[in-house]
Amino acid sequence: MTTRLAALAALALLATPALAQVPPAELGARYVPAPWWMREPIIASIGMVRTELPANRAQFGARFSAVERTSDAALAAAAAKVREIDAVLRSQGADRVRIATTFRTTPLYEQYKDKEGNLQTNDRADKIERYEVQASILLEVRDLAALESAYAAVVAARPQAIDPVRFNLEPDNAAKTFLQVEAVKDATRRARAAAEATGSRMGPVKVIDPTGRACRTDVLAGWPSYGRAEARTDVEYAAPPPPPPPAPQSIMVTGRRVAGEPAVQVSLQPPFEALEDDACVVFALLP
């Protein structure tokens, strides 16, 4: 009897997960079974909101180059070119300007002309004439109030090249929460308008899906469809005022300006970027 009970218990344990893991539909089936909240009249509404915020991050890079007969001398010369500008920019604080510096060493080989007059490179280890070291700095400006002064300081350091400034938006948690709440409100407004248009009444909430995926289950088509609609509602986000800027600092690199040359002045305005969010709210539909 004990052995029989143990066997039955084992069969029950094996059967339970099998029943719990039954897929919602079989591959190749014509239709997907409707979700539980569609067993009675419902109205599923997708809230889609959009707002525009100014970019709050900026990145750009600059490169300095030095050529010497030995790799050590070339590295020292390149490091000297970026040492002062690196110290000046780091004085702004890592919370405002973050800097990454890298070096790349390239051997320069002896060159000659062949019988046809074509220039050839003798790329053998014993034919290295000089070394070129390129020092690259990458700036991530996290406080755009420091962008123009940081850019002017890099220009004044006379780098070999400066990359274009790239802007991007990193929304804070307050902006994300605001958009999520507005998406739920938008879904409610759309559902109410649809119910009133049909002479029905909205019942209690059955599902709230902050991802919006629940409303994109295309039951009639057979499988979920996650295409994004474009009819979004514009909302205005009142961002909190930024903290007062720190006291102005002179960050001009010394010893690099020609006598009589005016100080570098630039104007860099961040663009506005779109921020979007969706939410799905399912209501019961009453006659």
Side-chain angles (χ1 to χ4, degrees), residues 105 146 191 228 236 264 273:
T105 302
R228 298 177 65 88
E236 293 293 334
V264 177
E273 297 192 12

Side-chain angles (χ1 to χ4, degrees), residues 84-261:
E84 184 179 3
I85 184 65
D86 184 83
V88 167
L89 293 174
R90 289 185 188 278
S91 67
Q92 299 295 299
D95 58 330
R96 304 185 71 209
V97 180
R98 295 186 178 181
I99 306 168
T101 305
T102 58
F103 295 90
R104 185 181 67 182
T105 302
T106 304
L108 304 178
Y109 296 96
E110 175 188 77
Q111 293 184 324
Y112 64 93
K113 289 186 177 181
D114 58 19
K115 295 180 180 180
E116 288 74 23
N118 299 318
L119 190 63
Q120 303 291 336
T121 299
N122 198 345
D123 52 353
R124 288 168 36 189
D126 60 340
K127 296 299 182 180
I128 297 176
E129 291 189 338
R130 287 178 175 81
Y131 289 88
E132 178 184 14
V133 172
Q134 186 177 83
S136 300
I137 60 172
L138 177 64
L139 283 77
E140 181 189 9
V141 182
R142 303 176 69 85
D143 180 2
L144 292 192
L147 174 59
E148 294 180 357
S149 58
Y151 190 88
V154 172
V155 172
R158 300 184 182 278
Q160 184 183 19
I162 302 178
D163 298 328
V165 178
R166 300 189 305 273
F167 292 95
N168 66 290
L169 172 63
E170 291 291 341
D172 57 16
N173 290 334
K176 295 176 183 177
T177 302
F178 167 80
L179 269 188
Q180 185 61 72
V181 172
E182 289 299 317
V184 174
K185 291 180 180 179
D186 187 58
T188 304
R189 286 192 295 266
R190 293 173 187 248
R192 182 177 295 112
E196 292 175 355
T198 60
S200 304
R201 292 180 299 133
M202 288 172 52
V205 175
K206 302 178 74 67
V207 174
I208 300 178
D209 179 11
T211 69
R213 292 166 62 93
C215 288
R216 292 192 171 94
T217 300
D218 196 342
V219 178
L220 298 181
W223 294 99
S225 174
Y226 301 128
R228 298 177 65 88
E230 296 299 331
R232 294 189 173 273
T233 302
D234 291 329
V235 294
E236 293 293 334
Y237 174 61
Q249 302 181 34
S250 175
I251 62 170
M252 183 62 65
V253 179
T254 60
R256 301 293 176 86
R257 289 174 53 195
V258 179
E261 181 180 329

